[in-house]
Amino acid sequence: NAGVTQTPKFQVLKTGQSMTLQCAQDMNHEYMSWYRQDPGMGLRLIHYSVGAGITDQGEVPNGYNVSRSTTEDFPLRLLSAAPSQTSVYFCASTRSGKNTGYTFGSGTRLTVV
Amino acid sequence: DAKTTQPTSMDCAEGRAANLPCNHSTISGNEYVYWYRQIHSQGPQYIIHGLKNNETNEMASLIITEDRKSSTLILPHATLRDTAVYYCIVMTGTASKLTFGTGTRLQVTL
């Protein structure tokens, strides 16, 4: 049981490049979400999903796209990277309606130059 | 979701109990109190949650006041490894997203 797996762990992008941050969970969790954490700051919600085929925007969705084609995977796409997107990105999941805590991945550290 | 208020920082000596308070005066009847922590550079970790009764698990205890307007997370014997930012979050049990505040930075010292 691997929990929530995020790849890559580190990434450097040039301004304007695009990339996809991967998130996979093997716990059959319906709810998944993406957060970003800037240095010295709290976590802010980017996008979230309550099940396959259903996604919604969080607090800071601009510049990011998501899709949820399977229960297990919830990739985050950066369309055209900007230095302001330099951050640590965390993916999280939990079981719906079971009143349990979220499980977080170990994060992806992204630098946009 | 109800708003929470936590102290910015706290210190605790190793081996002593760490008591982290949280105010949530606007909590609704169907909202739970959740606690998470984030050790430096790692993903947040779920600690414990409760509705109105006190709860205990292998990590911590959660004391909720009778009026449910405040709570206290207790780490009974704090260690250096407990140094982290602790987040108190109030939300319904079926909520589909977490909203983090600024949390309390707990420093455990020798």
Side-chain angles (χ1 to χ4, degrees):
Chain A
N1 189 337
V4 177
T5 301
Q6 291 186 237
T7 56
K9 293 189 182 303
F10 301 93
Q11 183 71 49
V12 178
L13 285 180
K14 293 182 178 179
T15 298
Q17 287 184 318
S18 62
M19 79 160 294
T20 299
L21 279 62
Q22 302 291 345
C23 175
Q25 51 89 10
D26 60 357
M27 299 171 284
N28 202 30
H29 285 172
E30 294 86 353
Y31 291 175
M32 297 186 73
S33 48
W34 276 102
Y35 295 84
R36 62 175 288 174
Q37 187 172 34
D38 300 332
M41 304 286 287
L43 289 91
R44 293 184 292 171
L45 181 66
I46 305 172
H47 285 285
Y48 64 102
S49 169
V50 298
I54 306 170
T55 64
D56 206 346
Q57 296 181 353
E59 181 185 355
V60 288
N62 292 340
Y64 307 95
N65 273 356
V66 292
S67 60
R68 185 96 180 271
S69 56
T70 67
T71 300
E72 295 78 17
D73 300 299
F74 190 41
L76 178 72
R77 282 183 286 277
L78 279 69
L79 309 174
S80 178
S84 61
Q85 293 179 303
T86 293
S87 191
V88 181
Y89 291 84
F90 291 102
C91 179
S93 72
T94 191
R95 190 175 296 279
S96 69
K98 296 296 184 181
N99 191 21
T100 58
Y102 276 77
T103 300
F104 282 78
S106 58
T108 294
R109 284 149 183 79
L110 175 69
T111 301
V112 182
V113 298
Chain B
D1 294 336
K3 180 179 173 58
T4 62
T5 303
Q6 299 178 252
T8 302
S9 63
M10 295 181 63
D11 292 329
C12 179
E14 190 175 34
R16 305 295 295 268
N19 298 289
L20 292 92
C22 180
N23 287 324
H24 32 78
S25 58
T26 60
I27 191 170
S28 300
N30 64 341
E31 289 182 316
Y32 290 74
V33 180
Y34 289 79
W35 283 85
Y36 287 79
R37 73 179 182 183
Q38 186 176 25
I39 297 170
H40 179 63
S41 298
Q42 299 180 19
Q45 176 188 25
Y46 163 79
I47 302 172
I48 197 168
H49 74 280
L51 182 63
K52 55 184 178 181
N53 298 320
N54 298 338
E55 302 288 344
T56 295
N57 63 20
E58 65 278 5
M59 292 182 66
S61 294
L62 174 60
I63 308 298
I64 302 174
T65 58
E66 190 169 349
D67 63 8
R68 303 210 321 124
K69 293 185 177 182
S70 65
S71 60
T72 301
L73 178 74
I74 301 172
L75 308 178
H77 304 287
T79 71
L80 297 178
R81 288 191 297 269
D82 293 320
T83 293
V85 178
Y86 288 78
Y87 296 97
C88 170
I89 299 171
V90 173
M91 56 191 281
T92 65
T94 56
S96 55
K97 56 183 178 178
L98 284 174
T99 300
F100 287 86
T102 53
T104 296
R105 183 173 299 277
L106 175 69
Q107 180 69 51
V108 180
T109 57
L110 291 172

